């Protein structure tokens, strides 16, 4: 007890506290879930058709048998999408498997049921495919050979990274061959002068972050899923995350890409240049196209230096307009040191406090309507803190903030972040949840939450939070269990509303399988037509990540 | 009744410690510094006593270079009534700190001193005991529960010891050192940060308190603990047994 290394002990205690919310939280799910899944699958797959349901079979309150039936009846509701297996795709045979074994060696051709279950299921357990084959290439050439063969044989392929996507983009829908990039996890080079990192697509984000940390740099991208997600998947999804406000999107930070096209052609665009105006900048086609145009195998990324002074404040605002004014002020007064501006409403806050272990209200004296988390990152601790304090005290005098707390150490800063980052987990624990990731002009953003609240009345808990600084709202509707009536109240209203206000129905999660057919809410038919012709040009047999991103109607 | 709390500025516990290349110490430049977590707990306990009417004033004391004022301001923002900064740029060892505290006690006359059981930088765990010894006050170290009886001028302390909890009763004035489970320290809220700016901080030097900073200790070398070797995958039970027998020599 006495005199042990307390730094280590404290760190351990924090770790234990955090184990309440691992990501992906597969390990913590109740044991009955797997049985539920099997039941669900039996109910869901009808021969060559598949009814894709957007319901997380999480709901701990539901009993297995009833639940399977429930899902099935619900599947025919408005939220389900009828997807048909493309008959043009061949079915996998033994000869194919032998061919892949020839390329990769038997060890990297996986047919083991248990491993396939993981590859077939997304982390929220919303989507499940029935792939019989998982390939783990180790080099770009192997990826190229795999694709060349699949294209020749017309075998559908799903590229897979850390499988942490939220829209069902990274798991097979039917029997697509899963090509996992996990084994391609080498850091190829890092230039300390320019801060340019070149690495393989399968590098786990957190590993890159810790590698860069030891070099004195950071990733321009940070996500809740960093412990599992891979950089190739991040790039393919054009993941946003918590630092976008400061460092911009991956379209700006990714300097080069190596990608393999459906026919096996390797496109080497792995430049490490800030400026390169030579022809069409094709790498952008692979950023955010969710693996539907090619498999990203390597990336080069511009990384900013790690700055020593990080400050986090957790603030309370009385209404949404104060949050907006605060954002405007923060941009002006914190300027170059502002690195995150996140918000959550009181419903989100209550949810986290009630459902997340270790969550603690920094402002417990009264309940506020809105909470804002501001992070600053700079190079001078004392001047940064002074600047932030002056800004906060000024905002308090102007009544933009009604209360607030300033983290005094890293531990407090992480506990503030937990309140914001823990919302998705708290929602999963609260029961059923309908998730929407929307870009909406900041001034109108919260109107949607309010309208949704009045639409649904007391039937559901409508929660609004997100990256206010980026105009990105996470609208989540939490209910004790899934209910078709509620869903029909939400959709298509939420998409129509977003479209009417010139927003995007997918800010940072992508379209995947969930929203492939909803693309027209955000993109004009002409635009989608051009996208389709690009798809046809690069992947004429449509073997890459089929049924996703683009609507089925436009592809066939 | 007045409570004196000692707080120390240390490298934030979440920071990965790096040893200087010349092995003379650890890197502190451009590294996040915060209040020692055990000191936070000590201060929180004192503040709770004041809030429940058991104490009238909480005085926070810190020692070290002028940057320690930031830590002291944090203490004041948490709620300490005033601060004392003992300005010293030379390294302070537990005995120096204890002697300074002893001399401050003569000036401030507190009835209770609360300290963290140890600082997470040097892990000494000596200061509280030394202060008690120098003052000849009773001590309750590694406190996980503290109950103060104002009438009887007594404090009951549950101590976390290796074989369980030991309960001791101390006559005031006394010294308490805090363990991790005593309480959960509060956050510094904006209104309190604002108030803290106008709270008084008294400044002393060790010389003014008649403490000579001279150490009998010399740091010879600071090194990192040896790195753990990477594990190996064994392909069969026989190989495992062979390795356990011949390599690890445990069976």
């Amino acid at each position: 007890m006495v005199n042990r290394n307390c730094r280590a002990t404290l760190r351990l205690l924090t770790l234990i506290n955090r184990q309440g919310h691992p990501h992906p939280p597969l390990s913590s799910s109740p044991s009955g879930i797997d049985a539920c899944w099997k039941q669900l699958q039996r109910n869901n797959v009808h021969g060559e058709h598949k009814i894709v349901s957007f319901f997380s079979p999480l709901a701990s309150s539901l009993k297995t048998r009833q639940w399977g039936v429930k899902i099935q009846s619900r599947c025919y509701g408005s939220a389900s999408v009828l997807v048909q297996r493309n008959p043009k795709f061949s079915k996998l045979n033994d000869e194919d498997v032998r061919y892949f074994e020839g390329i990769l060696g038997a060890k990297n051709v996986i047919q083991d049921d248990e491993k396939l279950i993981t590859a077939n299921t997304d982390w929220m357990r919303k989507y499940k495919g029935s792939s019989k084959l998982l390939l783990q290439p180790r080099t770009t050439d192997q990826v190229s050979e795999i694709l060349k063969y699949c294209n020749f044989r017309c075998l559908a392929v799903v590229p897979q990274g850390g499988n942490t996507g939220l829209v069902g983009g990274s798991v097979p829908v039917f029997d697509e061959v899963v090509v996992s990039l996990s084994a391609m996890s080498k850091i190829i080079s890092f230039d300390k002068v320019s801060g340019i990192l070149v690495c393989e697509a399968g590098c786990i984000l957190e590993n890159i972050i810790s590698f860069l940390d030891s070099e004195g740099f950071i990733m321009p991208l940070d996500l809740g899923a960093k412990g599992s997600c891979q950089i190739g998947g991040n790039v393919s999804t054009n993941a946003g995350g918590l630092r976008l406000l400061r460092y911009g999107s991956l379209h700006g930070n990714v300097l080069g890409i190596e990608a393999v096209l459906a026919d096996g052609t390797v496109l080497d665009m792995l430049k490490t240049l800030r400026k390169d105006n030579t022809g069409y900048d094709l790498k952008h086609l692979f950023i955010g196209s969710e693996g539907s145009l090619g498999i990203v195998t390597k990336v080069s990324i511009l990384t900013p230096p790690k700055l020593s002074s990080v400050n986090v404040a957790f603030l309370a605002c009385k209404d949404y307009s104060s949050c907006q004014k605060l954002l405007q002020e923060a941009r002006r007064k914190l300027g170059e040191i502002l690195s995150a501006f996140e918000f959550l409403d009181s419903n989100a806050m209550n949810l986290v406090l009630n459902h997340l272990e270790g969550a603690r209200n920094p402002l417990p004296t009264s309940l506020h309507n809105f909470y804002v988390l501001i992070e600053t990152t700079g190079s001078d601790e004392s001047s940064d803190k002074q600047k932030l304090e002056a800004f906060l005290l000024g905002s308090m005098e102007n009544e933009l903030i009604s209360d607030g707390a300033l983290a005094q150490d890293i531990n407090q800063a992480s506990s503030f972040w937990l309140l914001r980052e823990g919302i998705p987990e708290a929602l999963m624990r609260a029961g059923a949840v309908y998730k929407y990731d929307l870009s909406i002009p900041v001034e109108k953003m919260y109107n949607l939450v309010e309208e949704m609240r009045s639409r649904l009345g007391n039937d559901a808990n409508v929660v609004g939070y997100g990256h206010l600084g980026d105009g990105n709202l996470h609208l989540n509707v939490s209910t004790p269990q899934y209910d078709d009536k509620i869903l029909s109240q939400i959709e298509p209203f939420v998409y129509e509303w977003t479209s009417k206000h010139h927003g995007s129905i997918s800010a940072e999660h992508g379209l995947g399988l969930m929203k492939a057919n909803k693309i027209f809410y955000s993109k004009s038919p002409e635009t989608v037509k051009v996208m389709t012709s690009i798809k046809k040009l690069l992947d004429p047999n449509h073997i890459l990540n089929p049924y996703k991103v683009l609507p089925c109607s436009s592809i066939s | 009744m007045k409570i004196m709390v000692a707080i120390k500025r240390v490298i934030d516990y979440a920071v990965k410690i790096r040893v200087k290349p010349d092995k003379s110490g650890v890197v502190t430049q451009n590294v996040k510094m915060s209040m020692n977590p055990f000191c936070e707990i000590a201060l929180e306990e004192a503040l709770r006593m004041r809030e429940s009417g058991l104490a009238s004033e909480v005085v926070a004391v810190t020692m070290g270079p002028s940057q320690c004022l930031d830590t002291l301001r944090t203490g004041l923002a948490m709620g300490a009534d005033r601060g004392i900064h003992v300005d010293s740029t030379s390294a302070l060892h537990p005995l120096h700190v204890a002697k300074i505290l002893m001399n401050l006690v003569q000036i401030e006359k507190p009835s209770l001193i609360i300290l963290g059981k140890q600082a997470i930088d040097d892990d000494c765990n000596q200061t509280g005991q030394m202060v008690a010894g120098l003052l000849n006050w009773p001590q309750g170290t590694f406190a996980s529960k503290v109950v103060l009886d104002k009438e009887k001028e007594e404090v009951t302390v549950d101590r976390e010891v290796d074989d369980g909890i030991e309960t001791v009763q101390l006559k005031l004035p006394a010294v308490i050192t805090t363990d991790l489970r005593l309480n959960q320290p509060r956050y510094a809220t904006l209104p309190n940060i604002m108030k803290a700016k106008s709270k008084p901080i008294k400044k002393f030097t060790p010389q003014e308190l008649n403490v000579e900073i001279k150490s009998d200790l010399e740091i010879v070398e600071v090194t990192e603990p040896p790195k753990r070797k990477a594990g190996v995958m064994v392909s069969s039970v026989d190989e495992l047994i062979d390795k356990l027998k011949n390599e690890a020599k445990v069976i």
Side-chain angles (χ1 to χ4, degrees):
Chain A
M1 199 80 29
V2 181
N3 217 9
R4 64 190 159 205
N5 184 332
C6 285
R7 187 176 291 273
T9 317
L10 283 167
R11 208 173 280 141
L12 182 73
L13 281 167
T14 320
L15 271 178
I16 293 167
N17 277 341
R18 283 189 191 151
Q19 266 171 9
H21 50 96
H23 186 280
L26 290 173
S27 54
S28 61
S29 17
S31 54
I33 291 282
D34 283 322
C36 294
W37 249 123
K38 281 177 193 141
Q39 183 103 20
L40 173 68
Q41 287 311 301
R42 276 203 295 278
N43 283 322
N44 259 357
V45 180
H46 305 280
E48 293 285 278
H49 300 264
K50 177 145 198 172
I51 293 139
V52 182
S53 166
F54 300 138
F55 299 99
S56 161
L58 232 215
S60 47
S61 58
L62 297 173
K63 296 278 171 288
T64 315
R65 187 171 290 262
Q66 284 176 331
W67 182 68
V69 178
K70 259 189 160 157
I71 292 278
Q72 193 186 15
S73 67
R74 198 185 307 119
C75 288
Y76 296 95
S78 56
S80 34
V81 178
L82 190 70
V83 184
Q84 214 172 336
R85 186 183 183 278
N86 186 342
K88 278 197 287 190
F89 293 142
S90 315
K91 292 212 165 167
L92 191 76
N93 60 35
D94 290 346
E95 209 176 300
D96 300 328
V97 175
R98 271 197 299 280
Y99 185 85
F100 291 129
E101 284 175 350
I103 303 172
L104 304 172
K107 216 177 81 187
N108 298 314
V109 176
I110 290 157
Q111 293 177 286
D112 173 61
D113 276 344
E114 248 169 65
K115 283 184 185 159
L116 281 170
I117 284 182
T118 321
N120 270 314
T121 320
D122 79 315
W123 78 269
M124 295 187 303
R125 302 193 170 209
K126 271 187 179 178
Y127 305 94
K128 191 172 179 182
S130 47
S131 174
K132 299 275 178 289
L133 192 67
L134 168 67
L135 303 178
Q136 293 183 315
R138 305 191 154 262
T139 64
T140 305
D141 287 343
Q142 288 179 346
V143 176
S144 164
E145 281 187 63
I146 292 169
L147 289 188
K148 199 171 172 182
Y149 181 80
C150 288
N151 193 45
F152 166 73
R153 276 272 293 130
C154 218
L155 284 167
V157 169
V158 176
Q160 191 173 76
N163 199 6
T164 58
L166 293 163
V167 290
S170 59
V171 286
V173 183
F174 298 99
D175 56 347
E176 298 94 292
V177 173
V178 181
V179 177
S180 163
L181 278 297
S182 301
M184 294 182 63
S185 58
K186 280 193 289 290
I187 286 170
I188 297 164
S189 67
F190 181 68
D191 180 343
K192 270 194 162 192
V193 178
S194 60
I196 295 168
L197 171 90
V198 181
C199 67
E200 290 183 327
C203 288
I204 290 175
L205 182 59
E206 193 158 47
N207 296 349
I208 303 180
I209 291 174
S210 37
F211 167 80
L212 288 172
D213 187 69
S214 62
E215 302 283 333
F217 287 78
I218 60 165
M219 272 300 271
L221 170 81
D222 193 6
L223 305 175
K226 60 180 162 238
S228 318
C229 66
Q230 297 171 9
I231 191 64
N234 295 148
V235 169
S236 300
T237 316
N238 188 19
L242 305 165
R243 288 185 182 147
L244 192 128
L245 174 78
R246 173 73 166 265
Y247 300 111
S249 87
L250 287 175
H251 279 293
N253 292 306
V254 172
L255 301 180
I257 276 178
E258 179 193 78
V260 182
L261 298 183
D263 65 0
T265 308
V266 179
L267 287 190
D268 180 1
M269 304 173 284
L270 204 58
K271 288 275 171 61
T272 53
L273 307 168
R274 295 291 304 269
K275 295 174 143 187
D276 178 18
N277 284 356
T278 47
Y280 306 144
D281 202 346
L282 290 185
K283 68 166 184 282
H284 289 293
L285 282 179
F286 298 89
I287 303 174
S289 55
E290 303 177 52
S292 64
L293 298 179
I295 299 185
V296 174
T297 45
K298 289 183 189 124
V299 290
S300 74
I301 299 177
L302 181 67
T303 68
K306 184 185 174 158
L307 302 178
S308 58
S309 141
V310 178
N311 284 298
V312 181
F314 196 82
L315 313 164
C317 295
K318 60 179 189 301
D319 51 31
Y320 183 69
S321 98
S322 309
C323 298
Q324 277 183 68
K325 280 186 203 138
L326 191 66
L327 172 64
Q328 275 177 317
E329 286 289 297
R331 284 209 161 115
R332 245 166 239 289
K333 303 225 164 109
L334 298 174
E336 75 288 354
I337 62 168
L338 183 65
S339 57
F341 195 104
E342 300 284 313
F343 91 108
L344 50 151
D345 61 14
S346 59
N347 295 43
M349 183 71 167
N350 280 331
L351 206 80
V352 177
L353 295 175
N354 293 333
H355 292 279
L356 205 64
E357 234 174 285
R360 179 177 166 213
N361 189 352
L363 312 166
T365 41
S366 57
L367 191 65
H368 302 273
N369 293 330
F370 289 92
Y371 296 90
V372 168
L373 185 151
I374 292 182
E375 185 193 74
T376 65
T377 307
S379 54
D380 184 338
E381 176 79 33
S382 63
S383 81
D384 288 358
K385 197 153 189 172
Q386 220 171 11
K387 204 180 214 178
L388 179 62
E389 268 182 25
F391 163 71
L392 293 176
L393 300 180
S395 307
M396 197 130 181
E397 272 164 27
N398 300 335
E399 294 181 352
L400 292 180
I401 308 175
S402 31
D403 200 356
L406 187 56
Q408 302 295 318
D409 54 41
I410 298 175
N411 189 29
Q412 291 187 2
S414 356
S415 71
F416 291 176
W417 269 116
L418 174 70
L419 296 171
R420 165 61 190 83
E421 288 185 289
I423 300 171
E425 163 117 13
L427 280 161
M428 298 274 269
R429 290 183 182 202
V433 57
Y434 304 87
K435 292 169 104 59
Y436 301 92
D437 159 45
L438 311 162
S439 266
I440 298 171
V442 176
E443 75 268 23
K444 291 175 195 148
M445 194 156 113
Y446 203 72
N447 296 358
L448 175 59
V449 181
E450 280 162 350
E451 278 186 46
M452 191 59 87
R453 226 166 248 160
S454 62
R455 263 176 92 84
L456 296 175
N458 294 327
D459 296 341
N461 183 14
V462 181
V463 170
Y465 65 95
H467 317 288
L468 192 70
D470 311 325
N472 182 184
L473 170 73
H474 292 302
L475 172 73
N476 285 241
V477 179
S478 171
T479 53
Q481 48 212 289
Y482 290 107
D483 183 344
D484 269 353
K485 269 212 316 256
I486 289 190
L487 188 61
S488 60
Q489 291 273 308
I490 306 174
E491 286 183 33
F493 170 78
V494 62
Y495 294 129
E496 285 165 358
W497 197 98
T498 307
S499 179
K500 197 172 88 193
H501 292 92
H502 311 290
S504 167
I505 58 157
S506 177
E508 58 177 8
H509 295 171
L511 294 166
L513 181 61
M514 178 183 173
K515 288 180 276 194
N517 287 322
K518 309 277 193 290
I519 192 170
F520 295 106
Y521 285 111
S522 288
K523 291 280 149 72
S524 69
E526 294 78 15
T527 316
V528 175
K529 209 172 150 194
V530 176
M531 289 184 191
T532 310
S533 50
I534 292 173
K535 168 78 177 170
K536 282 179 180 159
L537 177 72
L538 297 184
D539 178 17
N541 294 328
H542 303 165
I543 60 161
L544 283 170
N545 223 359
Y547 323 109
K548 296 162 192 165
V549 189
L550 295 174
C552 303
S553 53
S554 72
I555 288 290
S556 47
Chain B
M1 190 185 106
K2 195 191 279 182
I3 305 176
M4 192 178 209
V5 178
I7 55 182
K8 184 174 185 183
R9 181 174 185 262
V10 297
I11 295 180
D12 193 286
Y13 96 88
V15 168
K16 191 171 175 272
I17 302 292
R18 280 176 224 276
V19 173
K20 281 185 193 164
D22 67 0
K23 297 184 178 176
S24 63
V26 298
V27 178
T28 53
Q29 226 178 6
N30 271 330
V31 168
K32 170 85 178 165
M33 305 292 277
S34 304
M35 193 191 295
N36 177 33
F38 292 102
C39 300
E40 267 187 303
I41 295 170
L43 180 55
E44 175 67 33
E45 197 61 20
L47 296 173
R48 289 184 189 186
M49 285 177 184
R50 189 194 61 198
E51 281 159 4
S52 58
L54 295 169
S56 53
E57 194 183 31
V58 175
V59 183
V61 181
T62 193
M63 300 169 202
S66 57
Q67 292 95 315
C68 293
L69 279 170
D70 289 343
T71 313
L72 197 54
R73 287 278 171 216
T74 300
L76 297 175
M78 281 173 71
D81 297 288
R82 53 195 179 83
I84 293 175
H85 174 218
V86 180
D87 197 359
S88 166
T89 44
S90 38
L92 298 172
H93 292 290
L95 188 58
H96 304 137
V97 178
K99 282 182 179 167
I100 291 172
L101 284 173
M102 177 183 73
N103 287 300
L104 283 172
V105 165
Q106 314 305 339
I107 300 169
E108 291 287 339
K109 309 243 179 308
S111 309
L112 191 62
I113 303 177
I114 311 183
L115 309 92
K117 71 166 181 179
Q118 69 196 68
I120 60 165
D121 50 1
D122 54 22
D123 278 337
C124 278
N125 185 336
Q126 294 163 353
T127 308
Q129 294 88 331
M130 285 178 173
V131 181
L134 289 169
L135 289 165
N136 203 19
W137 286 8
Q139 55 180 298
T141 49
F142 319 127
S144 63
K145 191 182 166 197
V146 175
V147 180
L148 185 70
D149 189 328
K150 210 177 161 187
E151 310 279 279
K152 287 193 198 153
E153 297 209 329
E154 254 177 24
V155 60
T156 310
V157 176
D158 283 1
R159 309 180 59 226
E160 292 197 4
V161 289
D162 280 343
D163 38 11
I165 301 283
E166 184 185 70
T167 306
V168 293
Q169 216 158 41
L170 318 171
K171 268 278 173 220
L172 295 182
V175 175
I176 294 172
T177 73
T178 58
D179 215 321
L180 204 59
R181 276 158 282 266
L182 180 60
N183 61 44
Q184 197 176 25
R186 67 195 63 192
Y187 297 115
T189 61
L190 293 180
N192 289 335
I193 290 172
M194 201 145 37
K195 274 185 222 152
K197 292 197 185 296
S198 55
K199 286 180 179 172
I201 294 178
K202 243 196 265 181
K203 200 165 159 181
F204 292 98
T205 60
Q207 290 73 31
E208 284 166 346
L209 297 166
N210 299 320
V211 178
E212 194 191 349
I213 307 297
K214 190 184 94 199
S215 181
D216 298 330
L217 297 171
E218 185 198 344
I219 292 172
V220 182
E221 195 181 86
V222 175
T223 52
E224 271 185 68
K227 282 207 171 65
R228 187 180 162 274
K229 270 195 246 160
V232 284
M233 296 291 275
V234 289
S235 52
S236 66
V237 177
D238 290 339
E239 196 190 336
L240 177 66
I241 293 172
D242 176 67
K243 281 200 184 298
L244 288 174
K245 256 189 195 154
N246 302 323
E247 222 169 277
K249 297 194 168 53
V250 288
I251 53 170

